[in-house]
Amino acid sequence: MLEATREAWYGRWLSPEAPLYVIAIFICAVIVALTLVVFWATFVEGLPSIDAAYTLQNYQDALLAPSTWSASFNSLAIGAGTVLVNFFFAIPIAWFVQRTSLSCKEWYITLMLVAGVIPGFLKAIAWIFLLSPHNGLINQWVRQFVDVERGPFSIYNIAGIAFVQGLMLTPLMFFMVGVAFQKIDNQFEEVGEVSGANAARVFRRITAPLVIPAIAAAAIYNFMTAIAIFEIPALLGFPGQIYALSTRIYQAVNTDLGLPQYGIAGIYGLIMLIPSLVMLHFYQKMLRQSHKYSVISGKNYKAKLIDIGRWAWFGHAFVWLFFSLSFVLPLIVLVWSSLVPYIALPTAKSFALVNLNAYKVAIDVFTGEPFLNTLKLVLVVSVAVTVFSTILSWVVQRTKLPGRYAMDTIAMLPHSIPNLAFAFALGFIALLFARVLPLYGSLAIIMIAHVVAYISLGTRMVNGALIQIHLDLENAALVCGASPPRVIQKIVLPLLLPSLAYTAIWVALLSYRETTMAIFLQRPDNVVLSSKIWELWMGTKTSEASAAGVIMVATLMVLFFVMLKVGNRLGMKGPNLA
Amino acid sequence: MMAIKFLKFPISAAVAVTLCSIAASSLAATVADIVAGAKKEGTVSIAINSELGQPGIQRLRKEIASEFGVDLNIRYSPVGSYPKRLADIITESKAGIPASYDLTQFSDNVLAQARAAGVLAPVAWREILLPGTPREAVYEAYDALHLYDSQIGMMYSADVVKDGEVPKSIMQLGERKWRDKLTAYFYSSSYLTYAYVLGKDKVLTALQGARDNNAVFDSYSANLSRFTSGEYPIQLTSSGYMSNARKKGINAKWQSLDFSFNTHHAAVVPKGARNPNAAKLVAIYLAGPKGNKISQDLSYVGNAAYAGHVGHEIAQGDKKSGLKLVSPISDPNAMKFLLSDEGKTLEKSIGSIIFRK
């Protein structure tokens, strides 16, 4: 009867899925085209151009070099280590905040968002201050008791890189897993308790399996993010002579050996694709079983908080341990380095140099064209990603149209290949059509680059929300005579709205902070804040860059807190991802 | 006959004076043409000296407005990686679109590569130099105008390293006492000059020694942060960064290694620049004495012909010490070596050591 009802509607109306399908195909075509350009460039001799000569030399140089495989191994190790750190912090904190009676939830969610704002390179520098083998503060203290010339600890190794990146990416996993915890109907757990299972067994056999899609999605996404990050392996890897694929890509593009080697950079990017595709395969298998994990259905649904009583102190301590390592410490370093003319440990000599001069330059950075460009960028990118991700996820989750799982895989491609490679591909296509399409050097090209880059995050967030909404709700409405558009408007969208709002916020944050693509595609007309701050940093104006970072964090903290307050009044909770 | 003989001199003198006036007015007209053209253009995009920053550009704009009555909207980006900047110019030129930046800069062998790629606009710089600009500032072979130069050598923290202990030769970088204490730049082409002077085997051995000593190879600016934080007390770097460190209150000193190594950074106008007159005006101002003062004050580098900056002091000190001055762009044989197949192969070997390939 249900199928007949659906067919009746689709017969009477133009199928609402048709235009969505066309848009989804278009988005995927753009992503595939860019990927093909990256692949094409790997066969080009010298700088890519239409009349370039072709060669296999790039493959020979890249694949036969032992350094490529050691960098690949390093990247895998860094990715795995990052995810382990994420598991350690994000899952317990998400459980405490979303499933228990722990207080101060709004503050913790705000701080989680803000922890994501501080640029990664500043977090790395904070840890250099603490654990540099020569003059790190912790090492200096330990050397009072242990007779060694250097160390004994060092941040300049793979574990150090994974630790700092893990702290950096924990907020993302927190949000990915958090709402999955939040939306669990505690009736499932009550059934377990009534049957005689203790709390640990209930968590292991009932609660944890229900959030597995969200955990798996988060782990896959963060692993792929971790192996593509450049600035932390550069800062912490170079002193330890550790190179990852991301640093090799940067070296290939910014080489001093002749002209940039885009072909070799592309090959490194394709190497990164391999583990990502393997994990995507397992993820897709889980997605096909998604109906097992829906927790919002037509039946009465309630998420009751678990009273943790005296264990609240442990919850607060664990959350603040994370914030201290991830946010408080880097913020102290950020503020400190904004007040002194160069990065130095706090000593009597450096305290005497404290001044506010850097803020005069930083305030200039936040006025004028770069600021306006950034506002336009984050608004357009966040809305575009949210809309396109919703369309793609709808086609994948709610239709039986052919190729929908392939579309989901394609949506993840931008996350599997480093941003720099996509930026180069987009720049090249824009140059090719520069005489007919004014894209090259414009703000629009950075917007497109960001939309392509963040489609993968957007689709994970919306997928996760759709997975948790059972089809019963929509089917019941259809059977009662509601049209498909009305079903979407009255039932689906209100349930999706919190996730869509958080998707938009998170994408806006990432777009605001993104530097690699903005720098690569920068021309006089499309300068944005992140690239201005990076220029200050690379131009040895560390105090000015830090001052700009302080202003960025302060304004975002206020903004996020206001948005959360408004969101709570409107009944919005948080995102879910898969 | 005598009358004609006596008349010859005044006639010759008159002709000479007239010719000089015409020449002088042509010279003046050329700069005036550029100023008039810059006024019409009103804006210019430049990718130069990464250390200059917005304060430097604001001062440049004010001074040009005051000197020439032209209020230029100067859109500035740091030049960044020279090879990447050159790659952008080449690809834009091949695509047949105007260059993104009207003015940029290169040094030594990248300048030669740019010239060879045919992407530089020919400019008669010598005709438009401002008063006080040394005529040697023009590199006619490369259509370039010298903006500043810098010395390459060893900066050290005098609070940590004694004057007598600091390395005096690149061969000493592998000495055990410098283990975990040294940072060096990762611009492979810059080591070619050491190879040109000392021989390639020595340089490869020296760099491998530094590598074995856990030297950190990174950009000048990243290494400066490591130096100022006290992590690494000796740094193979460019003299502008020592000036930078001193300005920040660090007790930094200098030692040139093996010879007085001088690199030149010169401005070029890419073919197809949208605002060529404004670009030339900015370039000739920066190359002149007043513009060089801006570079010295705000980015700590300048033309060695002008006194008052650390590169000049170092060059003078090296001369007194008897160190031979080597400047690739001024030595055709050096440039030939840098651009030769042997040089390119050596550069790859250097890159393999630096980047552990």
Side-chain angles (χ1 to χ4, degrees), chain A residues 416-440:
Chain A
S416 317
I417 297 176
N419 287 345
L420 198 51
F422 270 107
F424 148 73
L426 197 49
F428 176 75
I429 290 176
L431 202 55
L432 209 57
F433 295 103
R435 284 195 247 201
V436 295
L437 199 64
L439 203 57
Y440 183 79

PDB file of all heavy atoms in Angstrom, chain A residues 416-440:
ATOM      1  N   SER A 416      39.611  12.744   0.692  1.00  0.00           N
ATOM      2  CA  SER A 416      40.649  11.718   0.580  1.00  0.00           C
ATOM      3  C   SER A 416      41.895  12.269  -0.091  1.00  0.00           C
ATOM      4  O   SER A 416      42.975  11.726   0.074  1.00  0.00           O
ATOM      5  CB  SER A 416      40.137  10.539  -0.255  1.00  0.00           C
ATOM      6  OG  SER A 416      38.834  10.205   0.096  1.00  0.00           O
ATOM      7  N   ILE A 417      41.712  13.306  -0.875  1.00  0.00           N
ATOM      8  CA  ILE A 417      42.849  13.889  -1.600  1.00  0.00           C
ATOM      9  C   ILE A 417      43.156  15.238  -0.964  1.00  0.00           C
ATOM     10  O   ILE A 417      42.240  15.989  -0.647  1.00  0.00           O
ATOM     11  CB  ILE A 417      42.493  14.071  -3.084  1.00  0.00           C
ATOM     12  CG1 ILE A 417      42.222  12.707  -3.718  1.00  0.00           C
ATOM     13  CG2 ILE A 417      43.603  14.783  -3.835  1.00  0.00           C
ATOM     14  CD1 ILE A 417      41.775  12.781  -5.157  1.00  0.00           C
ATOM     15  N   PRO A 418      44.434  15.541  -0.742  1.00  0.00           N
ATOM     16  CA  PRO A 418      44.774  16.795  -0.051  1.00  0.00           C
ATOM     17  C   PRO A 418      44.191  18.023  -0.730  1.00  0.00           C
ATOM     18  O   PRO A 418      44.108  18.088  -1.951  1.00  0.00           O
ATOM     19  CB  PRO A 418      46.299  16.832  -0.119  1.00  0.00           C
ATOM     20  CG  PRO A 418      46.700  15.418  -0.270  1.00  0.00           C
ATOM     21  CD  PRO A 418      45.621  14.747  -1.047  1.00  0.00           C
ATOM     22  N   ASN A 419      43.798  18.981   0.083  1.00  0.00           N
ATOM     23  CA  ASN A 419      43.196  20.216  -0.412  1.00  0.00           C
ATOM     24  C   ASN A 419      44.065  20.913  -1.447  1.00  0.00           C
ATOM     25  O   ASN A 419      43.563  21.512  -2.396  1.00  0.00           O
ATOM     26  CB  ASN A 419      42.953  21.194   0.750  1.00  0.00           C
ATOM     27  CG  ASN A 419      41.806  20.753   1.616  1.00  0.00           C
ATOM     28  OD1 ASN A 419      41.018  19.897   1.233  1.00  0.00           O
ATOM     29  ND2 ASN A 419      41.693  21.320   2.797  1.00  0.00           N
ATOM     30  N   LEU A 420      45.383  20.842  -1.239  1.00  0.00           N
ATOM     31  CA  LEU A 420      46.298  21.525  -2.145  1.00  0.00           C
ATOM     32  C   LEU A 420      46.147  20.984  -3.567  1.00  0.00           C
ATOM     33  O   LEU A 420      46.186  21.736  -4.544  1.00  0.00           O
ATOM     34  CB  LEU A 420      47.738  21.328  -1.655  1.00  0.00           C
ATOM     35  CG  LEU A 420      48.814  22.260  -2.183  1.00  0.00           C
ATOM     36  CD1 LEU A 420      48.402  23.705  -2.020  1.00  0.00           C
ATOM     37  CD2 LEU A 420      50.115  22.017  -1.431  1.00  0.00           C
ATOM     38  N   ALA A 421      45.954  19.680  -3.689  1.00  0.00           N
ATOM     39  CA  ALA A 421      45.799  19.070  -5.014  1.00  0.00           C
ATOM     40  C   ALA A 421      44.524  19.567  -5.682  1.00  0.00           C
ATOM     41  O   ALA A 421      44.511  19.892  -6.874  1.00  0.00           O
ATOM     42  CB  ALA A 421      45.796  17.544  -4.894  1.00  0.00           C
ATOM     43  N   PHE A 422      43.423  19.647  -4.909  1.00  0.00           N
ATOM     44  CA  PHE A 422      42.178  20.153  -5.488  1.00  0.00           C
ATOM     45  C   PHE A 422      42.294  21.625  -5.834  1.00  0.00           C
ATOM     46  O   PHE A 422      41.740  22.082  -6.844  1.00  0.00           O
ATOM     47  CB  PHE A 422      41.003  19.923  -4.524  1.00  0.00           C
ATOM     48  CG  PHE A 422      40.324  18.607  -4.722  1.00  0.00           C
ATOM     49  CD1 PHE A 422      40.485  17.586  -3.812  1.00  0.00           C
ATOM     50  CD2 PHE A 422      39.543  18.376  -5.843  1.00  0.00           C
ATOM     51  CE1 PHE A 422      39.883  16.357  -4.020  1.00  0.00           C
ATOM     52  CE2 PHE A 422      38.934  17.146  -6.050  1.00  0.00           C
ATOM     53  CZ  PHE A 422      39.105  16.136  -5.142  1.00  0.00           C
ATOM     54  N   ALA A 423      43.000  22.358  -4.996  1.00  0.00           N
ATOM     55  CA  ALA A 423      43.164  23.793  -5.282  1.00  0.00           C
ATOM     56  C   ALA A 423      43.919  23.976  -6.588  1.00  0.00           C
ATOM     57  O   ALA A 423      43.561  24.812  -7.430  1.00  0.00           O
ATOM     58  CB  ALA A 423      43.921  24.476  -4.132  1.00  0.00           C
ATOM     59  N   PHE A 424      44.950  23.165  -6.779  1.00  0.00           N
ATOM     60  CA  PHE A 424      45.719  23.258  -8.016  1.00  0.00           C
ATOM     61  C   PHE A 424      44.827  22.909  -9.210  1.00  0.00           C
ATOM     62  O   PHE A 424      44.831  23.597 -10.235  1.00  0.00           O
ATOM     63  CB  PHE A 424      46.927  22.318  -7.964  1.00  0.00           C
ATOM     64  CG  PHE A 424      47.303  21.779  -9.307  1.00  0.00           C
ATOM     65  CD1 PHE A 424      47.910  22.593 -10.235  1.00  0.00           C
ATOM     66  CD2 PHE A 424      46.994  20.481  -9.668  1.00  0.00           C
ATOM     67  CE1 PHE A 424      48.222  22.120 -11.491  1.00  0.00           C
ATOM     68  CE2 PHE A 424      47.295  20.008 -10.929  1.00  0.00           C
ATOM     69  CZ  PHE A 424      47.915  20.820 -11.849  1.00  0.00           C
ATOM     70  N   ALA A 425      44.028  21.834  -9.088  1.00  0.00           N
ATOM     71  CA  ALA A 425      43.157  21.401 -10.190  1.00  0.00           C
ATOM     72  C   ALA A 425      42.158  22.503 -10.550  1.00  0.00           C
ATOM     73  O   ALA A 425      41.935  22.807 -11.725  1.00  0.00           O
ATOM     74  CB  ALA A 425      42.420  20.121  -9.794  1.00  0.00           C
ATOM     75  N   LEU A 426      41.585  23.113  -9.517  1.00  0.00           N
ATOM     76  CA  LEU A 426      40.603  24.178  -9.749  1.00  0.00           C
ATOM     77  C   LEU A 426      41.272  25.394 -10.401  1.00  0.00           C
ATOM     78  O   LEU A 426      40.742  25.993 -11.336  1.00  0.00           O
ATOM     79  CB  LEU A 426      40.001  24.564  -8.401  1.00  0.00           C
ATOM     80  CG  LEU A 426      38.708  25.342  -8.360  1.00  0.00           C
ATOM     81  CD1 LEU A 426      37.653  24.717  -9.255  1.00  0.00           C
ATOM     82  CD2 LEU A 426      38.183  25.375  -6.924  1.00  0.00           C
ATOM     83  N   GLY A 427      42.466  25.728  -9.901  1.00  0.00           N
ATOM     84  CA  GLY A 427      43.206  26.861 -10.473  1.00  0.00           C
ATOM     85  C   GLY A 427      43.514  26.615 -11.946  1.00  0.00           C
ATOM     86  O   GLY A 427      43.389  27.521 -12.782  1.00  0.00           O
ATOM     87  N   PHE A 428      43.873  25.369 -12.258  1.00  0.00           N
ATOM     88  CA  PHE A 428      44.208  25.057 -13.638  1.00  0.00           C
ATOM     89  C   PHE A 428      42.977  25.163 -14.544  1.00  0.00           C
ATOM     90  O   PHE A 428      43.032  25.743 -15.641  1.00  0.00           O
ATOM     91  CB  PHE A 428      44.805  23.647 -13.725  1.00  0.00           C
ATOM     92  CG  PHE A 428      45.093  23.229 -15.130  1.00  0.00           C
ATOM     93  CD1 PHE A 428      46.178  23.752 -15.806  1.00  0.00           C
ATOM     94  CD2 PHE A 428      44.271  22.332 -15.794  1.00  0.00           C
ATOM     95  CE1 PHE A 428      46.437  23.398 -17.118  1.00  0.00           C
ATOM     96  CE2 PHE A 428      44.520  21.981 -17.108  1.00  0.00           C
ATOM     97  CZ  PHE A 428      45.608  22.511 -17.771  1.00  0.00           C
ATOM     98  N   ILE A 429      41.842  24.618 -14.105  1.00  0.00           N
ATOM     99  CA  ILE A 429      40.616  24.688 -14.915  1.00  0.00           C
ATOM    100  C   ILE A 429      40.198  26.150 -15.092  1.00  0.00           C
ATOM    101  O   ILE A 429      39.792  26.578 -16.185  1.00  0.00           O
ATOM    102  CB  ILE A 429      39.486  23.869 -14.255  1.00  0.00           C
ATOM    103  CG1 ILE A 429      39.817  22.377 -14.352  1.00  0.00           C
ATOM    104  CG2 ILE A 429      38.142  24.156 -14.907  1.00  0.00           C
ATOM    105  CD1 ILE A 429      38.816  21.479 -13.649  1.00  0.00           C
ATOM    106  N   ALA A 430      40.304  26.920 -14.014  1.00  0.00           N
ATOM    107  CA  ALA A 430      39.926  28.339 -14.108  1.00  0.00           C
ATOM    108  C   ALA A 430      40.813  29.078 -15.106  1.00  0.00           C
ATOM    109  O   ALA A 430      40.343  29.936 -15.864  1.00  0.00           O
ATOM    110  CB  ALA A 430      40.038  29.000 -12.734  1.00  0.00           C
ATOM    111  N   LEU A 431      42.102  28.724 -15.119  1.00  0.00           N
ATOM    112  CA  LEU A 431      43.040  29.350 -16.051  1.00  0.00           C
ATOM    113  C   LEU A 431      42.683  28.984 -17.495  1.00  0.00           C
ATOM    114  O   LEU A 431      42.744  29.811 -18.406  1.00  0.00           O
ATOM    115  CB  LEU A 431      44.449  28.862 -15.717  1.00  0.00           C
ATOM    116  CG  LEU A 431      45.645  29.688 -16.157  1.00  0.00           C
ATOM    117  CD1 LEU A 431      45.522  31.104 -15.642  1.00  0.00           C
ATOM    118  CD2 LEU A 431      46.920  29.060 -15.631  1.00  0.00           C
ATOM    119  N   LEU A 432      42.274  27.731 -17.668  1.00  0.00           N
ATOM    120  CA  LEU A 432      41.918  27.225 -19.003  1.00  0.00           C
ATOM    121  C   LEU A 432      40.764  28.013 -19.602  1.00  0.00           C
ATOM    122  O   LEU A 432      40.730  28.316 -20.790  1.00  0.00           O
ATOM    123  CB  LEU A 432      41.483  25.767 -18.834  1.00  0.00           C
ATOM    124  CG  LEU A 432      41.701  24.810 -19.991  1.00  0.00           C
ATOM    125  CD1 LEU A 432      43.168  24.779 -20.367  1.00  0.00           C
ATOM    126  CD2 LEU A 432      41.266  23.403 -19.568  1.00  0.00           C
ATOM    127  N   PHE A 433      39.794  28.359 -18.766  1.00  0.00           N
ATOM    128  CA  PHE A 433      38.601  29.078 -19.241  1.00  0.00           C
ATOM    129  C   PHE A 433      38.643  30.551 -18.874  1.00  0.00           C
ATOM    130  O   PHE A 433      37.614  31.229 -18.907  1.00  0.00           O
ATOM    131  CB  PHE A 433      37.338  28.437 -18.650  1.00  0.00           C
ATOM    132  CG  PHE A 433      37.112  27.026 -19.122  1.00  0.00           C
ATOM    133  CD1 PHE A 433      37.403  25.949 -18.302  1.00  0.00           C
ATOM    134  CD2 PHE A 433      36.629  26.783 -20.400  1.00  0.00           C
ATOM    135  CE1 PHE A 433      37.209  24.644 -18.745  1.00  0.00           C
ATOM    136  CE2 PHE A 433      36.440  25.483 -20.842  1.00  0.00           C
ATOM    137  CZ  PHE A 433      36.731  24.414 -20.016  1.00  0.00           C
ATOM    138  N   ALA A 434      39.852  31.061 -18.555  1.00  0.00           N
ATOM    139  CA  ALA A 434      39.961  32.428 -18.041  1.00  0.00           C
ATOM    140  C   ALA A 434      39.452  33.469 -19.026  1.00  0.00           C
ATOM    141  O   ALA A 434      38.972  34.525 -18.619  1.00  0.00           O
ATOM    142  CB  ALA A 434      41.400  32.724 -17.649  1.00  0.00           C
ATOM    143  N   ARG A 435      39.562  33.162 -20.317  1.00  0.00           N
ATOM    144  CA  ARG A 435      39.139  34.177 -21.300  1.00  0.00           C
ATOM    145  C   ARG A 435      37.629  34.276 -21.437  1.00  0.00           C
ATOM    146  O   ARG A 435      37.101  35.276 -21.934  1.00  0.00           O
ATOM    147  CB  ARG A 435      39.786  33.903 -22.649  1.00  0.00           C
ATOM    148  CG  ARG A 435      41.252  34.329 -22.660  1.00  0.00           C
ATOM    149  CD  ARG A 435      41.787  34.399 -24.071  1.00  0.00           C
ATOM    150  NE  ARG A 435      42.791  33.372 -24.284  1.00  0.00           N
ATOM    151  CZ  ARG A 435      43.697  33.430 -25.245  1.00  0.00           C
ATOM    152  NH1 ARG A 435      43.707  34.414 -26.090  1.00  0.00           N
ATOM    153  NH2 ARG A 435      44.566  32.472 -25.399  1.00  0.00           N
ATOM    154  N   VAL A 436      36.904  33.217 -20.995  1.00  0.00           N
ATOM    155  CA  VAL A 436      35.441  33.285 -21.120  1.00  0.00           C
ATOM    156  C   VAL A 436      34.745  33.354 -19.762  1.00  0.00           C
ATOM    157  O   VAL A 436      33.596  33.782 -19.662  1.00  0.00           O
ATOM    158  CB  VAL A 436      34.886  32.085 -21.927  1.00  0.00           C
ATOM    159  CG1 VAL A 436      35.381  32.155 -23.354  1.00  0.00           C
ATOM    160  CG2 VAL A 436      35.271  30.766 -21.293  1.00  0.00           C
ATOM    161  N   LEU A 437      35.422  32.908 -18.724  1.00  0.00           N
ATOM    162  CA  LEU A 437      34.804  32.850 -17.391  1.00  0.00           C
ATOM    163  C   LEU A 437      35.730  33.539 -16.398  1.00  0.00           C
ATOM    164  O   LEU A 437      36.848  33.091 -16.190  1.00  0.00           O
ATOM    165  CB  LEU A 437      34.646  31.374 -17.004  1.00  0.00           C
ATOM    166  CG  LEU A 437      33.669  31.011 -15.905  1.00  0.00           C
ATOM    167  CD1 LEU A 437      32.255  31.358 -16.317  1.00  0.00           C
ATOM    168  CD2 LEU A 437      33.753  29.513 -15.624  1.00  0.00           C
ATOM    169  N   PRO A 438      35.281  34.633 -15.763  1.00  0.00           N
ATOM    170  CA  PRO A 438      36.174  35.392 -14.875  1.00  0.00           C
ATOM    171  C   PRO A 438      36.312  34.761 -13.491  1.00  0.00           C
ATOM    172  O   PRO A 438      36.001  35.361 -12.466  1.00  0.00           O
ATOM    173  CB  PRO A 438      35.476  36.755 -14.780  1.00  0.00           C
ATOM    174  CG  PRO A 438      34.026  36.440 -14.956  1.00  0.00           C
ATOM    175  CD  PRO A 438      33.935  35.273 -15.875  1.00  0.00           C
ATOM    176  N   LEU A 439      36.793  33.514 -13.473  1.00  0.00           N
ATOM    177  CA  LEU A 439      36.893  32.792 -12.204  1.00  0.00           C
ATOM    178  C   LEU A 439      38.291  32.891 -11.612  1.00  0.00           C
ATOM    179  O   LEU A 439      38.468  33.014 -10.401  1.00  0.00           O
ATOM    180  CB  LEU A 439      36.562  31.314 -12.490  1.00  0.00           C
ATOM    181  CG  LEU A 439      36.083  30.451 -11.334  1.00  0.00           C
ATOM    182  CD1 LEU A 439      34.858  31.044 -10.689  1.00  0.00           C
ATOM    183  CD2 LEU A 439      35.762  29.043 -11.847  1.00  0.00           C
ATOM    184  N   TYR A 440      39.285  32.835 -12.474  1.00  0.00           N
ATOM    185  CA  TYR A 440      40.683  32.818 -12.045  1.00  0.00           C
ATOM    186  C   TYR A 440      40.998  34.088 -11.257  1.00  0.00           C
ATOM    187  O   TYR A 440      40.740  35.198 -11.723  1.00  0.00           O
ATOM    188  CB  TYR A 440      41.601  32.709 -13.263  1.00  0.00           C
ATOM    189  CG  TYR A 440      43.073  32.606 -12.921  1.00  0.00           C
ATOM    190  CD1 TYR A 440      43.618  31.403 -12.494  1.00  0.00           C
ATOM    191  CD2 TYR A 440      43.905  33.708 -13.039  1.00  0.00           C
ATOM    192  CE1 TYR A 440      44.970  31.299 -12.174  1.00  0.00           C
ATOM    193  CE2 TYR A 440      45.241  33.627 -12.723  1.00  0.00           C
ATOM    194  CZ  TYR A 440      45.783  32.426 -12.304  1.00  0.00           C
ATOM    195  OH  TYR A 440      47.115  32.323 -12.000  1.00  0.00           O
TER     196      TYR A 440
END
